[in-house]
Amino acid sequence: VVTMVKPSEVPLGVAIANVKKPMGIILEELEEDDPSAGVMVVQVDPTGNAAIGLDDPTESVLPGDRVLMVNDEPCFPGTFDQVMDLILPADTPTVELTLGRPLDTVEVRF
């Protein structure tokens, strides 16, 4: 028997990543009818700034992370445009992303 688990049923931990621009990530807006709607990281350039934590390697951004806040501004559940409106005009060289991360996420680095 296979039991499917909806993303909204997966408990999330919180990770904070301080990422230098350009970040090297691809974001995607989740379906509106999904109770866990919002914006998710779908791809991270392994050589980009988001894959390399500035102060600590555990600050990396990972595929599957949900964007909860940008520079202390809440944006969950938000649209792609709302998240980008917080990231792009930020007048600092780095952006602080507060991310929801499934608790069973494992990062493997080569």
Side-chain angles (χ1 to χ4, degrees):
V1 174
V2 176
T3 304
M4 299 301 291
V5 177
K6 294 180 183 177
S8 62
E9 296 173 350
V10 176
L12 298 177
V14 175
I16 296 176
N18 292 295
V19 183
K20 186 176 176 184
K21 292 182 190 177
M23 295 189 287
I25 60 175
I26 296 177
L27 300 173
E28 184 174 285
E29 186 174 337
L30 298 172
E31 298 294 324
E32 287 182 20
D33 59 346
D34 183 340
S36 65
V39 176
M40 181 171 71
V41 177
V42 293
Q43 187 174 353
V44 179
D45 178 347
T47 61
N49 292 323
I52 307 163
L54 290 178
D55 302 320
D56 182 341
T58 62
E59 291 185 353
S60 300
V61 178
L62 301 175
D65 286 349
R66 305 292 172 90
V67 182
L68 305 178
M69 293 195 313
V70 176
N71 291 333
D72 294 325
E73 290 289 329
C75 58
F76 181 84
T79 66
F80 176 84
D81 289 337
Q82 289 169 329
V83 171
M84 293 308 293
D85 285 347
L86 294 172
I87 292 173
L88 293 177
D91 59 356
T92 59
T94 61
V95 175
E96 181 181 271
L97 298 176
T98 303
L99 305 164
R101 181 171 293 165
L103 293 175
D104 61 352
T105 299
V106 176
E107 179 182 12
V108 178
R109 292 180 181 248
F110 294 95

